[in-house]
Amino acid sequence: MKETPLSNCERRFLLRAIEEKKRLDGRQTYDYRNIRISFGTDYGCCIVELGKTRVLGQVSCELVSPKLNRATEGILFFNLELSQMAAPAFEPGRQSDLLVKLNRLLERCLRNSKCIDTESLCVVAGEKVWQIRVDLHLLNHDGNIIDAASIAAIVALCHFRRPDVSVQGDEVTLYTPEERDPVPLSIHHMPICVSFAFFQQGTYLLVDPNEREECVMDGLLVIAMNKHREICTIQSSGGIMLLKDQVLRCSKIAGVKVAEITELILKALENDQKVRKEGGKFGFAESIANQRITAFKMEKAPIDTSDVEEKAEEIIAEAEPPSEVVSTPVLWTPGTAQIGEGVENSWGDLEDSEKEDDEGGGDEAIILDSIKMDTGVEVSDIGSQEMGFHHVGQTRLEFLTSDAPIILSDSEEEEMIILEPDKNPKKIRTQTTSAKQEKAPSKKPVKRRKKKRAAN
Protein backbone atom coordinates (compact mmCIF):
# COMPACT_ATOMS: atom_id res chain seq x y z
CA MET A 1 0.00 0.00 0.00
CA LYS A 2 1.35 3.38 -1.03
CA GLU A 3 0.04 5.92 1.46
CA THR A 4 -0.45 9.52 0.41
CA PRO A 5 2.23 11.49 2.28
CA LEU A 6 1.20 14.47 4.35
CA SER A 7 2.93 17.80 4.04
CA ASN A 8 4.95 19.15 6.94
CA CYS A 9 2.32 21.80 7.59
CA GLU A 10 -0.46 19.18 7.86
CA ARG A 11 1.68 16.99 10.06
CA ARG A 12 2.48 19.83 12.45
CA PHE A 13 -1.18 20.86 12.53
CA LEU A 14 -2.36 17.34 13.45
CA LEU A 15 0.31 16.86 16.13
CA ARG A 16 -0.46 20.23 17.67
CA ALA A 17 -4.19 19.43 17.74
CA ILE A 18 -3.45 16.09 19.44
CA GLU A 19 -1.28 17.83 22.03
CA GLU A 20 -4.21 20.15 22.78
CA LYS A 21 -6.50 17.09 23.06
CA LYS A 22 -8.51 18.06 20.01
CA ARG A 23 -9.51 15.90 17.05
CA LEU A 24 -10.52 16.89 13.54
CA ASP A 25 -13.98 15.28 13.79
CA GLY A 26 -14.73 16.80 17.20
CA ARG A 27 -14.37 13.61 19.23
CA GLN A 28 -12.72 13.32 22.60
CA THR A 29 -9.57 11.29 23.20
CA TYR A 30 -11.33 8.01 24.11
CA ASP A 31 -14.41 8.34 21.91
CA TYR A 32 -15.33 5.88 19.17
CA ARG A 33 -16.90 6.97 15.92
CA ASN A 34 -20.55 6.12 15.30
CA ILE A 35 -21.09 2.42 14.55
CA ARG A 36 -23.91 1.41 12.24
CA ILE A 37 -24.85 -2.19 11.42
CA SER A 38 -27.16 -3.19 8.58
CA PHE A 39 -28.10 -6.65 7.36
CA GLY A 40 -28.81 -8.01 3.89
CA THR A 41 -31.70 -10.14 2.77
CA ASP A 42 -29.68 -13.35 3.14
CA TYR A 43 -28.37 -14.72 6.40
CA GLY A 44 -24.72 -13.99 7.07
CA CYS A 45 -24.51 -10.77 5.04
CA CYS A 46 -23.94 -7.44 6.78
CA ILE A 47 -22.30 -4.04 6.39
CA VAL A 48 -20.57 -2.35 9.33
CA GLU A 49 -19.89 1.37 9.21
CA LEU A 50 -17.32 2.79 11.62
CA GLY A 51 -17.54 6.46 10.82
CA LYS A 52 -16.74 6.56 7.10
CA THR A 53 -14.94 3.20 7.15
CA ARG A 54 -17.25 0.57 5.67
CA VAL A 55 -16.73 -3.20 5.60
CA LEU A 56 -18.97 -5.80 3.95
CA GLY A 57 -19.07 -9.23 5.58
CA GLN A 58 -20.39 -12.38 3.88
CA VAL A 59 -20.40 -15.89 5.35
CA SER A 60 -20.79 -19.04 3.27
CA CYS A 61 -20.52 -22.75 4.00
CA GLU A 62 -20.01 -26.08 2.23
CA LEU A 63 -19.49 -29.74 3.11
CA VAL A 64 -15.83 -30.81 2.77
CA SER A 65 -13.50 -33.47 4.07
CA PRO A 66 -11.88 -32.62 7.43
CA LYS A 67 -8.19 -32.20 8.11
CA LEU A 68 -6.30 -35.39 8.92
CA ASN A 69 -5.12 -34.24 12.34
CA ARG A 70 -8.58 -32.89 13.30
CA ALA A 71 -11.12 -35.34 11.95
CA THR A 72 -13.99 -34.18 14.17
CA GLU A 73 -13.65 -30.42 13.78
CA GLY A 74 -14.99 -28.08 11.17
CA ILE A 75 -12.88 -25.56 9.26
CA LEU A 76 -12.91 -21.78 9.62
CA PHE A 77 -11.44 -19.60 6.88
CA PHE A 78 -11.10 -15.79 6.95
CA ASN A 79 -10.29 -13.62 3.96
CA LEU A 80 -9.99 -9.83 3.94
CA GLU A 81 -9.74 -7.98 0.62
CA LEU A 82 -8.50 -4.43 0.11
CA SER A 83 -9.50 -3.06 -3.28
CA GLN A 84 -8.92 0.26 -4.98
CA MET A 85 -12.60 1.01 -4.53
CA ALA A 86 -11.87 1.63 -0.84
CA ALA A 87 -8.78 3.78 -1.41
CA PRO A 88 -6.60 4.48 -4.47
CA ALA A 89 -3.49 3.71 -2.43
CA PHE A 90 -4.30 -0.03 -2.38
CA GLU A 91 -2.55 -1.99 -5.12
CA PRO A 92 -4.67 -4.63 -6.88
CA GLY A 93 -3.40 -8.10 -7.69
CA ARG A 94 -0.92 -8.50 -4.85
CA GLN A 95 -0.97 -8.99 -1.11
CA SER A 96 0.59 -6.05 0.67
CA ASP A 97 2.21 -6.22 4.10
CA LEU A 98 -0.80 -4.49 5.60
CA LEU A 99 -3.19 -7.09 4.17
CA VAL A 100 -1.10 -10.01 5.46
CA LYS A 101 -0.92 -8.43 8.92
CA LEU A 102 -4.68 -7.82 9.06
CA ASN A 103 -5.54 -11.37 7.97
CA ARG A 104 -3.24 -12.91 10.58
CA LEU A 105 -4.67 -10.68 13.28
CA LEU A 106 -8.22 -11.68 12.35
CA GLU A 107 -7.35 -15.38 12.49
CA ARG A 108 -5.78 -15.02 15.93
CA CYS A 109 -8.73 -12.96 17.15
CA LEU A 110 -11.54 -15.21 15.89
CA ARG A 111 -10.20 -18.67 15.16
CA ASN A 112 -7.47 -19.12 17.78
CA SER A 113 -9.70 -17.67 20.51
CA LYS A 114 -12.16 -20.57 19.98
CA CYS A 115 -15.11 -18.21 19.74
CA ILE A 116 -16.94 -20.74 17.51
CA ASP A 117 -17.50 -24.38 18.48
CA THR A 118 -15.79 -26.14 15.58
CA GLU A 119 -16.79 -29.60 16.82
CA SER A 120 -20.47 -28.71 16.23
CA LEU A 121 -19.58 -28.33 12.55
CA CYS A 122 -18.79 -32.04 12.20
CA VAL A 123 -21.37 -34.07 10.24
CA VAL A 124 -19.59 -37.46 9.86
CA ALA A 125 -16.33 -37.88 11.71
CA GLY A 126 -13.43 -38.15 9.30
CA GLU A 127 -15.66 -37.76 6.23
CA LYS A 128 -17.90 -34.69 6.19
CA VAL A 129 -17.56 -31.44 8.08
CA TRP A 130 -18.76 -27.87 7.49
CA GLN A 131 -16.27 -25.37 6.16
CA ILE A 132 -17.27 -21.84 7.18
CA ARG A 133 -15.77 -19.10 5.01
CA VAL A 134 -15.87 -15.45 6.07
CA ASP A 135 -15.17 -12.96 3.26
CA LEU A 136 -14.61 -9.35 4.25
CA HIS A 137 -14.47 -6.57 1.65
CA LEU A 138 -13.34 -3.07 2.52
CA LEU A 139 -15.73 -0.68 0.78
CA ASN A 140 -14.31 2.61 2.05
CA HIS A 141 -11.14 3.34 3.99
CA ASP A 142 -11.07 6.09 6.59
CA GLY A 143 -8.81 4.50 9.17
CA ASN A 144 -8.98 1.67 11.75
CA ILE A 145 -9.67 -1.18 9.34
CA ILE A 146 -9.05 -3.94 11.88
CA ASP A 147 -11.75 -2.79 14.29
CA ALA A 148 -14.39 -2.52 11.57
CA ALA A 149 -13.33 -5.87 10.05
CA SER A 150 -13.50 -7.71 13.40
CA ILE A 151 -16.97 -6.30 14.12
CA ALA A 152 -18.19 -7.22 10.63
CA ALA A 153 -16.80 -10.77 10.94
CA ILE A 154 -18.38 -11.56 14.30
CA VAL A 155 -21.70 -9.95 13.30
CA ALA A 156 -21.84 -11.97 10.06
CA LEU A 157 -21.06 -15.19 11.98
CA CYS A 158 -23.77 -14.50 14.54
CA HIS A 159 -26.27 -13.69 11.81
CA PHE A 160 -25.42 -16.71 9.63
CA ARG A 161 -27.59 -19.83 9.42
CA ARG A 162 -26.30 -23.08 7.91
CA PRO A 163 -28.60 -25.64 6.25
CA ASP A 164 -29.85 -28.49 8.39
CA VAL A 165 -28.58 -32.02 7.64
CA SER A 166 -29.51 -35.54 8.64
CA VAL A 167 -27.36 -38.70 8.57
CA GLN A 168 -28.78 -42.15 7.95
CA GLY A 169 -25.97 -44.67 7.75
CA ASP A 170 -23.55 -43.45 5.13
CA GLU A 171 -26.12 -41.19 3.48
CA VAL A 172 -26.08 -37.45 4.28
CA THR A 173 -29.22 -35.49 3.44
CA LEU A 174 -29.03 -31.73 3.03
CA TYR A 175 -32.30 -29.79 3.54
CA THR A 176 -33.26 -26.53 1.93
CA PRO A 177 -34.53 -23.58 4.02
CA GLU A 178 -38.08 -24.33 2.82
CA GLU A 179 -37.92 -27.89 4.10
CA ARG A 180 -36.26 -27.20 7.44
CA ASP A 181 -35.26 -24.04 9.24
CA PRO A 182 -31.53 -23.23 8.98
CA VAL A 183 -29.39 -23.79 12.05
CA PRO A 184 -27.36 -20.94 13.65
CA LEU A 185 -23.70 -21.42 14.54
CA SER A 186 -22.64 -22.21 18.09
CA ILE A 187 -20.78 -19.12 19.30
CA HIS A 188 -19.19 -19.05 22.75
CA HIS A 189 -18.15 -15.39 22.93
CA MET A 190 -17.65 -12.37 20.67
CA PRO A 191 -14.07 -11.05 20.53
CA ILE A 192 -13.75 -7.49 19.25
CA CYS A 193 -10.59 -5.56 18.43
CA VAL A 194 -9.93 -2.10 19.87
CA SER A 195 -7.10 0.01 18.41
CA PHE A 196 -5.01 2.60 20.26
CA ALA A 197 -2.71 5.06 18.47
CA PHE A 198 0.31 6.54 20.24
CA PHE A 199 1.98 9.86 19.41
CA GLN A 200 5.19 11.54 20.50
CA GLN A 201 6.74 8.20 21.58
CA GLY A 202 3.78 7.16 23.71
CA THR A 203 3.09 10.55 25.31
CA TYR A 204 -0.37 10.96 23.77
CA LEU A 205 -3.03 8.30 23.19
CA LEU A 206 -6.08 8.17 20.91
CA VAL A 207 -8.79 5.53 20.53
CA ASP A 208 -10.10 4.60 17.07
CA PRO A 209 -7.71 6.66 14.90
CA ASN A 210 -8.89 7.82 11.50
CA GLU A 211 -6.83 7.84 8.31
CA ARG A 212 -5.18 11.21 8.95
CA GLU A 213 -4.24 10.29 12.48
CA GLU A 214 -2.79 6.97 11.33
CA CYS A 215 -0.42 8.84 9.00
CA VAL A 216 1.23 10.73 11.88
CA MET A 217 1.10 8.12 14.66
CA ASP A 218 4.29 6.55 16.04
CA GLY A 219 2.82 3.22 17.10
CA LEU A 220 -0.37 1.16 17.24
CA LEU A 221 -1.66 -1.19 19.94
CA VAL A 222 -4.55 -3.58 19.12
CA ILE A 223 -6.30 -5.46 21.92
CA ALA A 224 -8.93 -8.13 21.14
CA MET A 225 -11.25 -8.71 24.08
CA ASN A 226 -14.74 -10.02 24.81
CA LYS A 227 -17.37 -8.63 27.13
CA HIS A 228 -16.10 -10.88 29.95
CA ARG A 229 -12.84 -8.85 29.90
CA GLU A 230 -10.89 -11.81 28.56
CA ILE A 231 -8.03 -10.77 26.31
CA CYS A 232 -8.06 -12.91 23.16
CA THR A 233 -5.02 -11.39 21.46
CA ILE A 234 -2.82 -8.33 21.69
CA GLN A 235 -0.47 -6.85 19.11
CA SER A 236 1.84 -3.85 19.15
CA SER A 237 3.36 -2.35 16.00
CA GLY A 238 5.41 0.70 15.18
CA GLY A 239 8.54 0.01 17.24
CA ILE A 240 7.64 2.11 20.29
CA MET A 241 8.33 1.04 23.88
CA LEU A 242 5.19 0.88 26.02
CA LEU A 243 5.17 0.81 29.78
CA LYS A 244 3.19 -1.67 31.82
CA ASP A 245 0.89 1.05 33.11
CA GLN A 246 0.08 2.14 29.58
CA VAL A 247 -0.90 -1.39 28.54
CA LEU A 248 -3.10 -1.83 31.62
CA ARG A 249 -4.73 1.51 30.99
CA CYS A 250 -5.49 0.53 27.40
CA SER A 251 -6.92 -2.82 28.51
CA LYS A 252 -9.34 -1.08 30.88
CA ILE A 253 -10.49 1.27 28.14
CA ALA A 254 -10.88 -1.69 25.76
CA GLY A 255 -13.08 -3.52 28.27
CA VAL A 256 -15.51 -0.59 28.40
CA LYS A 257 -15.60 -0.15 24.61
CA VAL A 258 -16.07 -3.88 23.94
CA ALA A 259 -19.03 -4.04 26.34
CA GLU A 260 -20.71 -1.13 24.53
CA ILE A 261 -20.08 -2.60 21.07
CA THR A 262 -21.30 -6.06 22.14
CA GLU A 263 -24.54 -4.58 23.42
CA LEU A 264 -24.99 -2.74 20.12
CA ILE A 265 -24.42 -5.97 18.14
CA LEU A 266 -26.92 -7.94 20.21
CA LYS A 267 -29.53 -5.22 19.84
CA ALA A 268 -29.05 -5.08 16.05
CA LEU A 269 -29.38 -8.88 15.75
CA GLU A 270 -32.51 -8.85 17.88
CA ASN A 271 -34.15 -6.12 15.80
CA ASP A 272 -33.36 -7.94 12.54
CA GLN A 273 -34.76 -11.21 13.83
CA LYS A 274 -37.91 -9.45 15.03
CA VAL A 275 -38.49 -7.80 11.65
CA ARG A 276 -38.04 -11.10 9.82
CA LYS A 277 -40.53 -12.88 12.05
CA GLU A 278 -43.13 -10.13 11.68
CA GLY A 279 -42.72 -10.16 7.91
CA GLY A 280 -41.56 -6.54 7.69
CA LYS A 281 -39.16 -5.02 5.22
CA PHE A 282 -35.48 -5.79 5.71
CA GLY A 283 -32.25 -5.71 3.73
CA PHE A 284 -29.73 -3.15 2.55
CA ALA A 285 -32.31 -1.31 0.46
CA GLU A 286 -34.39 -0.55 3.55
CA SER A 287 -31.37 0.48 5.59
CA ILE A 288 -30.23 3.15 3.11
CA ALA A 289 -33.66 4.47 2.17
CA ASN A 290 -33.23 7.57 4.36
CA GLN A 291 -29.89 8.43 2.77
CA ARG A 292 -31.27 9.35 -0.64
CA ILE A 293 -30.45 12.73 -2.10
CA THR A 294 -34.12 13.70 -2.16
CA ALA A 295 -34.68 12.74 1.48
CA PHE A 296 -34.75 15.48 4.09
CA LYS A 297 -34.95 14.52 7.71
CA MET A 298 -34.88 16.71 10.79
CA GLU A 299 -35.30 15.91 14.43
CA LYS A 300 -38.60 17.02 15.89
CA ALA A 301 -38.36 19.83 18.43
CA PRO A 302 -41.20 21.19 20.61
CA ILE A 303 -42.34 24.72 19.74
CA ASP A 304 -44.20 27.00 22.16
CA THR A 305 -47.13 28.58 20.32
CA SER A 306 -48.95 30.11 23.31
CA ASP A 307 -47.90 33.73 22.71
CA VAL A 308 -47.74 33.73 18.93
CA GLU A 309 -50.53 36.26 18.46
CA GLU A 310 -49.02 38.73 20.94
CA LYS A 311 -45.63 38.54 19.27
CA ALA A 312 -47.21 38.97 15.85
CA GLU A 313 -49.06 42.13 17.01
CA GLU A 314 -45.85 43.55 18.49
CA ILE A 315 -43.95 42.92 15.24
CA ILE A 316 -46.70 44.58 13.19
CA ALA A 317 -46.82 47.58 15.53
CA GLU A 318 -43.06 48.11 15.45
CA ALA A 319 -42.79 47.66 11.69
CA GLU A 320 -42.81 50.72 9.45
CA PRO A 321 -45.96 51.23 7.38
CA PRO A 322 -45.58 50.53 3.68
CA SER A 323 -45.02 53.53 1.43
CA GLU A 324 -47.99 54.58 -0.69
CA VAL A 325 -46.70 54.48 -4.21
CA VAL A 326 -49.16 54.68 -7.09
CA SER A 327 -47.92 53.54 -10.45
CA THR A 328 -48.55 56.09 -13.19
CA PRO A 329 -49.04 54.65 -16.66
CA VAL A 330 -46.69 55.75 -19.41
CA LEU A 331 -48.39 56.62 -22.70
CA TRP A 332 -46.15 55.89 -25.66
CA THR A 333 -48.72 56.19 -28.40
CA PRO A 334 -52.47 56.75 -28.38
CA GLY A 335 -54.28 53.60 -27.40
CA THR A 336 -51.33 52.06 -25.49
CA ALA A 337 -50.11 52.32 -21.92
CA GLN A 338 -47.26 50.98 -19.80
CA ILE A 339 -47.07 50.61 -16.02
CA GLY A 340 -43.65 50.43 -14.40
CA GLU A 341 -40.24 50.38 -16.02
CA GLY A 342 -39.92 48.38 -19.18
CA VAL A 343 -37.47 47.79 -21.97
CA GLU A 344 -37.56 49.93 -25.09
CA ASN A 345 -39.25 48.22 -28.00
CA SER A 346 -36.74 46.95 -30.54
CA TRP A 347 -39.18 45.22 -32.85
CA GLY A 348 -38.42 47.40 -35.87
CA ASP A 349 -34.63 47.51 -35.43
CA LEU A 350 -32.58 45.66 -37.96
CA GLU A 351 -29.78 43.31 -37.13
CA ASP A 352 -26.24 43.84 -38.39
CA SER A 353 -26.55 41.17 -41.10
CA GLU A 354 -29.76 42.75 -42.43
CA LYS A 355 -28.17 46.21 -42.51
CA GLU A 356 -25.26 44.89 -44.56
CA ASP A 357 -27.64 43.24 -47.03
CA ASP A 358 -29.63 46.46 -47.42
CA GLU A 359 -26.48 48.51 -47.98
CA GLY A 360 -25.41 46.03 -50.65
CA GLY A 361 -28.78 46.39 -52.41
CA GLY A 362 -28.41 50.18 -52.47
CA ASP A 363 -25.00 49.93 -54.10
CA GLU A 364 -26.41 47.72 -56.84
CA ALA A 365 -29.14 50.29 -57.54
CA ILE A 366 -26.48 53.01 -57.96
CA ILE A 367 -24.52 50.84 -60.40
CA LEU A 368 -27.68 50.19 -62.41
CA ASP A 369 -28.38 53.91 -62.76
CA SER A 370 -24.79 54.57 -63.79
CA ILE A 371 -25.05 51.89 -66.51
CA LYS A 372 -28.20 53.54 -67.82
CA MET A 373 -26.41 56.86 -68.06
CA ASP A 374 -23.47 55.32 -69.91
CA THR A 375 -25.65 53.58 -72.50
CA GLY A 376 -27.60 56.79 -73.16
CA VAL A 377 -30.98 55.17 -72.76
CA GLU A 378 -33.49 57.27 -70.87
CA VAL A 379 -36.87 56.15 -69.76
CA SER A 380 -38.53 59.37 -70.77
CA ASP A 381 -36.93 59.37 -74.26
CA ILE A 382 -38.00 55.89 -75.22
CA GLY A 383 -40.98 55.91 -77.51
CA SER A 384 -40.21 53.54 -80.27
CA GLN A 385 -39.72 50.44 -78.14
CA GLU A 386 -42.62 48.09 -78.05
CA MET A 387 -42.44 46.53 -74.61
CA GLY A 388 -40.34 46.24 -71.39
CA PHE A 389 -40.19 43.34 -68.94
CA HIS A 390 -39.20 42.94 -65.30
CA HIS A 391 -39.00 39.66 -63.42
CA VAL A 392 -39.36 39.33 -59.62
CA GLY A 393 -36.05 38.71 -57.86
CA GLN A 394 -34.03 39.74 -60.94
CA THR A 395 -34.12 43.19 -62.53
CA ARG A 396 -34.07 42.58 -66.24
CA LEU A 397 -34.86 45.36 -68.70
CA GLU A 398 -35.34 44.31 -72.33
CA PHE A 399 -35.97 46.81 -75.07
CA LEU A 400 -37.43 45.01 -78.07
CA THR A 401 -36.34 46.80 -81.17
CA SER A 402 -35.20 45.70 -84.55
CA ASP A 403 -31.81 45.03 -83.00
CA ALA A 404 -30.99 42.42 -80.30
CA PRO A 405 -32.43 43.10 -76.82
CA ILE A 406 -30.21 44.94 -74.31
CA ILE A 407 -29.98 43.16 -70.95
CA LEU A 408 -28.83 45.27 -68.02
CA SER A 409 -27.29 44.13 -64.73
CA ASP A 410 -29.25 42.56 -61.88
CA SER A 411 -30.53 44.45 -58.90
CA GLU A 412 -32.53 43.62 -55.78
CA GLU A 413 -35.03 46.39 -56.52
CA GLU A 414 -38.30 45.28 -57.98
CA GLU A 415 -39.05 47.59 -60.91
CA MET A 416 -41.60 47.44 -63.72
CA ILE A 417 -41.63 49.83 -66.71
CA ILE A 418 -44.53 49.88 -69.15
CA LEU A 419 -43.80 51.64 -72.38
CA GLU A 420 -46.64 52.81 -74.64
CA PRO A 421 -46.41 54.87 -77.84
CA ASP A 422 -47.28 58.59 -77.73
CA LYS A 423 -47.73 58.44 -73.95
CA ASN A 424 -45.60 59.12 -70.97
CA PRO A 425 -44.16 55.93 -69.50
CA LYS A 426 -45.66 54.70 -66.29
CA LYS A 427 -43.13 53.54 -63.81
CA ILE A 428 -44.15 51.34 -60.85
CA ARG A 429 -41.46 50.47 -58.35
CA THR A 430 -41.89 47.98 -55.53
CA GLN A 431 -39.09 47.79 -53.02
CA THR A 432 -38.57 45.24 -50.27
CA THR A 433 -36.14 47.43 -48.39
CA SER A 434 -36.95 50.09 -45.85
CA ALA A 435 -37.67 53.73 -46.55
CA LYS A 436 -34.26 54.84 -45.37
CA GLN A 437 -32.49 52.65 -47.87
CA GLU A 438 -34.74 53.94 -50.75
CA LYS A 439 -33.63 57.48 -50.31
CA ALA A 440 -29.91 56.81 -50.08
CA PRO A 441 -29.17 55.59 -53.63
CA SER A 442 -31.59 58.00 -55.38
CA LYS A 443 -29.56 61.19 -54.81
CA LYS A 444 -26.54 60.55 -57.00
CA PRO A 445 -28.44 59.37 -60.12
CA VAL A 446 -30.54 62.57 -60.13
CA LYS A 447 -27.42 64.70 -60.20
CA ARG A 448 -25.91 62.67 -62.99
CA ARG A 449 -29.04 62.97 -65.11
CA LYS A 450 -29.08 66.72 -64.70
CA LYS A 451 -25.46 66.93 -65.81
CA LYS A 452 -26.17 64.69 -68.77
CA ARG A 453 -29.08 66.78 -69.96
CA ALA A 454 -27.11 69.99 -69.50
CA ALA A 455 -24.35 68.59 -71.67
CA ASN A 456 -26.81 67.68 -74.37
Side-chain angles (χ1 to χ4, degrees), residues 310-351:
E310 298 177 0
K311 290 183 178 180
E313 292 177 357
E314 292 177 1
I315 294 172
I316 294 173
E318 295 176 359
E320 296 180 359
S323 59
E324 297 181 357
V325 178
V326 180
S327 300
T328 57
V330 180
L331 300 177
W332 293 99
T333 57
T336 63
Q338 174 183 334
I339 298 176
E341 296 181 359
V343 183
E344 185 178 355
N345 185 14
S346 60
W347 179 262
D349 295 344
L350 297 176
E351 298 183 356

Side-chain angles (χ1 to χ4, degrees), residues 378-389 398-400 416-428:
E378 293 295 335
V379 176
S380 60
D381 297 337
I382 298 173
S384 61
Q385 287 83 353
E386 295 179 0
M387 191 178 295
F389 299 97
E398 296 185 5
F399 300 97
L400 301 179
M416 182 178 293
I417 299 173
I418 303 174
L419 300 179
E420 297 179 0
D422 300 332
K423 289 183 180 181
N424 293 330
K426 296 180 180 180
K427 186 175 180 180
I428 302 171

